[in-house]
Amino acid sequence: MSFGNGGARRAGSARDSDAHDSSTREGERRGGEHRGSGGNGGSGGGFDCDVLIIGGGIVGLSTAYALTRSAPGTRVVVLEKEQRTARHQTGRNSGVIHSGIYYRPGSLKARFAVRGATEMTEFCAEQSLPYEVTGKLIVATERDELPRLHALAQRGRENGIPVRELGPAQIADDEPGVRGLAAIRVATTGIADYGAVAARLAELAAAAGAEIRCGAEAVRIARRPEGVAVATSDGTVIRARTLVNCAGLHCDRVARLAGDDPGMRIVPFRGEYYTLTRPGLVRGLVYPVPDPAFPFLGVHLTRGTDGTVHVGPNAVPALAREGYDWGTVRPAELGTTLAWPGAWRIAGRHWRYGAGELHRSLSKRAFTEAVRRLLPAVEEADLRPAPAGVRAQAVLRDGTLVDDFLIREGPRTVHVLNAPSPAATAALPIGREIARRALASVGVRA
């Protein structure tokens, strides 16, 4: 394996010099970097590691954690292009532990969310991380939503989730400020701090020997029958037996760098949030009935682990993969989106929905009116802008919005190509599944 001017090499001597005293730094976090006991040492067979993971969000870190637990001694390196882990989807979401009620029975989302919700609460309890099982209401405010609400309750039961159907008086008992015709209460929904969860997964993986390198973006990938070599932005070339692509917003680009056709493109959708300045208006988590044509859950109210109530998100096209506001435009990334036929087919089919989302993005009054459907007492002045997130939504060539988790494999590669919500909830079982596939690609049975 080579990149033009000779064989694959380790990091330039600045990183190699760290190897001489790595025994005194095991698990140390410096500048957002975790070093495990095996990360900088040489590897047998001409490889620097067994599994190289691109992406330091919660899915990539959970995969590293799972690898160190299921196959101790496996040499794992995680590359994260930012200076800290969990900077994007993991660190910019509602913080909800989803029950799994929304997802088609038998799908990966349904299986992993139901299992993951239990495992995430147990992990947070064991690791003394903030979390709470709060339950949530899904509220129908219009008559035409009632059949969808009842269908959702049935789906929840099929997925083994305890649900209780409520009338208007029971809604008022549960959430005095919320108005609706009917609702379902989902007991197993909760809240967590996924940034803290990701940080703990990184610490545990590093303590078990994994290395997490921040500020190292994968820029070139060469694949040969025996493994892969990845060149990073800091001049490092890392040789691995197998590659795991958990790059989130950039996963399709990484797949193409590896020589695989992902058959999809990431179309980024920005989710905009507000903070409710009168948090006493709601007690817990309140959601509308979602439109089944879209993988978005609608503008909802979420009380976080710190007591702050977030309102949102909407879903508008972002003008960059990391376009957290209208002022962030990256022409090359926008051009990639516009060149994908599926993006135009989405626009053609769903322009009315998109126009409504755009209106609520540009008009705080319109956004407030959407919230008032659930919480009539809210005023424009009660909503203070909060940091936005961007959802990495996989779209097929025919315009299909991929609704399930999507994991594809190539020779010596595992690509996670669609893992938006509820991926944080499901991170632990997803990580184990990815780890199993990665180990199988190199002939190791976990």
Side-chain angles (χ1 to χ4, degrees):
M1 289 173 288
S2 65
F3 284 103
N5 61 348
R9 58 182 178 85
R10 294 305 308 272
S13 37
R15 280 196 187 274
D16 285 344
S17 66
D18 287 341
H20 296 301
D21 61 350
S22 62
S23 61
T24 66
R25 302 188 190 179
E26 183 172 334
E28 182 181 8
R29 184 172 185 170
R30 299 180 67 248
E33 180 169 312
H34 297 259
R35 293 184 185 276
S37 57
N40 272 338
S43 302
F47 295 106
D48 301 306
C49 62
D50 297 308
V51 182
L52 179 61
I53 301 169
I54 297 177
I58 197 169
V59 173
L61 295 170
S62 178
T63 301
Y65 172 69
L67 285 164
T68 61
R69 286 170 61 87
S70 62
T74 301
R75 298 159 299 186
V76 180
V77 173
V78 179
L79 299 181
E80 167 54 48
K81 72 181 181 66
E82 305 292 354
Q83 296 302 317
R84 300 281 180 186
T85 58
R87 288 291 302 275
H88 295 291
Q89 292 185 104
T90 302
R92 290 173 171 264
N93 60 63
S94 300
V96 175
I97 301 174
H98 288 283
S99 64
I101 190 170
Y102 297 109
Y103 313 118
R104 178 176 50 82
S107 65
L108 291 178
K109 279 190 176 182
R111 288 160 42 207
F112 288 163
V114 172
R115 191 184 314 158
T118 299
E119 292 186 20
M120 185 57 66
T121 57
E122 291 174 350
F123 181 84
C124 289
E126 291 167 1
Q127 299 296 324
S128 300
L129 299 175
Y131 82 99
E132 184 179 353
V133 179
T134 59
K136 79 172 179 183
L137 289 185
I138 303 174
V139 181
T141 58
E142 304 288 344
R143 289 196 175 278
D144 63 1
E145 295 174 343
L146 293 174
R148 301 206 309 266
L149 183 71
H150 296 319
L152 203 56
Q154 180 59 32
R155 174 168 283 191
R157 295 184 181 107
E158 290 175 11
N159 285 334
I161 299 163
V163 299
R164 186 164 62 96
E165 298 187 62
L166 309 179
Q170 294 164 306
I171 294 172
D173 288 342
D174 212 55
E175 285 281 1
V178 173
R179 296 291 178 269
L181 300 175
I184 53 179
R185 178 159 184 80
V186 187
T188 53
T189 302
I191 51 175
D193 181 343
Y194 287 122
V197 172
R200 187 58 51 83
L201 289 169
E203 292 168 4
L204 293 171
E211 180 182 354
I212 298 164
R213 297 186 181 182
C214 292
E217 180 178 2
V219 294
R220 286 183 292 164
I221 300 172
R223 189 167 64 191
R224 299 291 183 270
E226 70 276 15
V228 297
V230 176
T232 69
S233 53
D234 63 2
T236 307
V237 176
I238 305 172
R239 298 163 296 178
R241 297 175 68 197
T242 194
L243 172 72
V244 174
N245 169 12
C246 294
L249 287 159
H250 303 277
C251 65
D252 55 337
R253 180 182 66 84
V254 169
R256 293 194 301 275
L257 282 177
D260 292 324
D261 178 5
M264 44 65 73
R265 289 292 184 275
I266 290 297
V267 175
F269 286 89
R270 184 171 61 255
E272 296 161 330
Y273 290 90
Y274 288 87
T275 297
L276 187 64
T277 60
R278 288 194 289 161
L281 290 176
V282 290
R283 292 175 174 174
L285 280 62
V286 182
Y287 280 64
V289 179
D291 185 333
F294 301 96
F296 314 118
L297 300 182
V299 172
H300 48 269
L301 300 110
T302 306
R303 182 177 293 275
T305 56
D306 61 356
T308 300
V309 175
H310 287 102
V311 186
N314 57 2
V316 295
L319 305 181
R321 297 288 176 107
E322 296 160 19
Y324 296 112
D325 53 51
W326 285 112
T328 303
V329 182
R330 293 182 180 166
E333 294 178 357
L334 180 58
T336 298
T337 298
L338 295 177
W340 183 241
W344 291 100
R345 293 188 171 111
I346 292 172
R349 291 173 194 160
H350 305 301
W351 66 268
R352 285 188 178 88
Y353 179 92
E357 292 292 284
L358 183 61
H359 181 46
R360 285 183 285 274
S361 173
L362 298 175
S363 167
K364 186 178 180 183
R365 177 177 296 179
F367 191 100
T368 305
E369 286 299 323
V371 180
R372 280 192 185 130
R373 293 181 58 203
L374 293 171
L375 192 66
V378 75
E379 303 288 344
E380 276 189 66
D382 297 325
L383 301 179
R384 185 177 66 240
V390 177
R391 177 190 180 101
Q393 177 61 52
V395 177
L396 303 183
R397 180 174 289 275
D398 66 1
T400 300
L401 293 158
V402 178
D403 193 38
D404 203 0
F405 297 139
L406 179 62
I407 305 172
R408 288 181 173 163
E409 299 171 61
R412 303 286 179 172
T413 56
V414 180
H415 300 290
V416 182
L417 298 174
N418 195 62
S421 180
T425 296
L428 294 170
I430 290 176
R432 287 197 303 274
E433 173 64 16
I434 299 166
R436 182 190 66 77
R437 297 189 190 203
L439 291 171
S441 75
V442 293
V444 177
R445 180 174 296 178

